[in-house]
Structures are given as C-alpha cells and as structure tokens.
Amino acid sequence: MQSSYLLFNKIIAATLAAIIIYFGIYPLFGDYALKCQILQATGHPCIGCGLTRGIHEALMFHFDKARQWNDSSLLLLSFLVITILLRLATSVLITTASLQKHIRIILFTDVTISILLFLYSFRHFFTTQILK
C-alpha cells in the first residue's frame, strides 16, 4: 500500500506541476489559452472564463490583473501549489521509519485535508450558476 500511495503522490504532484508550467508558459508560444465552449455557444462568460490567463498573471506576480481575469485565479493557483506541497510532505512522512506505525493516521489526515482543501478552493464553482 505504501509504494502505491507514493506512486499516486508522485503522479498527482507531477500532473499539477505540469498544469502550473502550462499556465506559466502558454503565452510564450502565442495565445493557446483554452477557449470557453460555453462562451462560444451562448455568448455569455461562465464562472471559469479567464482562469488560464488569471493564473498566468498570478504566476507573473500581477495579482491585480489575475483578479481582473477571474476572481478565483489566486485561490486556484494556491490550491495547486498547496496540493503539490501536501503530496511532498505526505510522501516524506510515510517513508520516515519512525512514523510507520502511524501510517493510517497520516493517510487519513492527508485525505481529509485534501478533500477539504478541494471543497474550499472550488466552492465558488459549486455554489454559482454556470453563467455569470
């Protein structure tokens, strides 16, 4: 179980890091931001419109611009970074020999924090209409 959980942590951390890298470099090669299908179909922006550009601006430390693109940009970038750090911390904890007897508590705590962090970070998307 421990080795499969470590593999899971590595996959999640690598995937989220790749997403952050995408947000950081996509404008360097032209405007390859994902196009909103809802905006194209209805002409009205959805709650996710501007997230790619907003997270990119936050990565460039332009926090005001990030909030102009989408108010949730900073929160979602924080979610990505904290999740990567949590994956790394959990991996270190479950490989520490002195903590082996507490592995169930560590895993339960990790899962609980991850779920709560996800629900908090994406609460806006659960409680808002799809169209702005």
Side-chain angles (χ1 to χ4, degrees):
M1 180 170 107
Q2 179 179 339
S3 63
S4 60
Y5 199 77
L6 287 172
L7 178 62
F8 172 78
N9 275 348
K10 289 177 186 177
I11 291 170
I12 295 297
T15 303
L16 296 178
I19 291 169
I20 290 174
I21 290 168
Y22 166 76
F23 285 136
I25 66 170
Y26 84 87
L28 300 177
F29 306 103
D31 188 9
Y32 292 110
L34 301 173
K35 305 299 182 210
C36 178
Q37 299 301 308
I38 294 173
L39 178 61
Q40 290 179 347
T42 66
H44 300 285
C46 74
I47 58 174
C49 280
L51 275 177
T52 303
R53 290 174 184 88
I55 291 175
H56 170 75
E57 292 295 342
L59 287 170
M60 300 297 113
F61 301 102
H62 304 144
F63 301 118
D64 290 336
K65 286 183 182 178
R67 295 202 70 209
Q68 288 173 1
W69 279 109
N70 190 311
D71 280 337
S72 299
S73 300
L74 297 173
L75 182 61
L76 295 183
L77 178 60
S78 299
F79 167 77
L80 294 172
V81 171
I82 291 169
T83 301
I84 291 171
L85 295 175
L86 186 58
R87 298 296 101 230
L88 297 173
T90 302
S91 295
V92 168
L93 287 175
I94 64 175
T95 56
T96 303
S98 63
L99 296 174
Q100 288 300 310
K101 61 184 175 184
H102 302 294
I103 197 161
R104 287 183 183 213
I105 294 170
I106 293 169
L107 296 180
F108 177 78
T109 304
D110 176 43
V111 170
T112 302
I113 291 171
S114 296
I115 290 170
L116 292 174
L117 180 62
F118 174 83
L119 291 174
Y120 178 77
S121 297
F122 288 89
R123 71 188 183 282
H124 179 71
F125 296 93
F126 299 132
T127 60
T128 306
Q129 294 178 351
I130 292 186
L131 297 177
K132 287 184 179 177

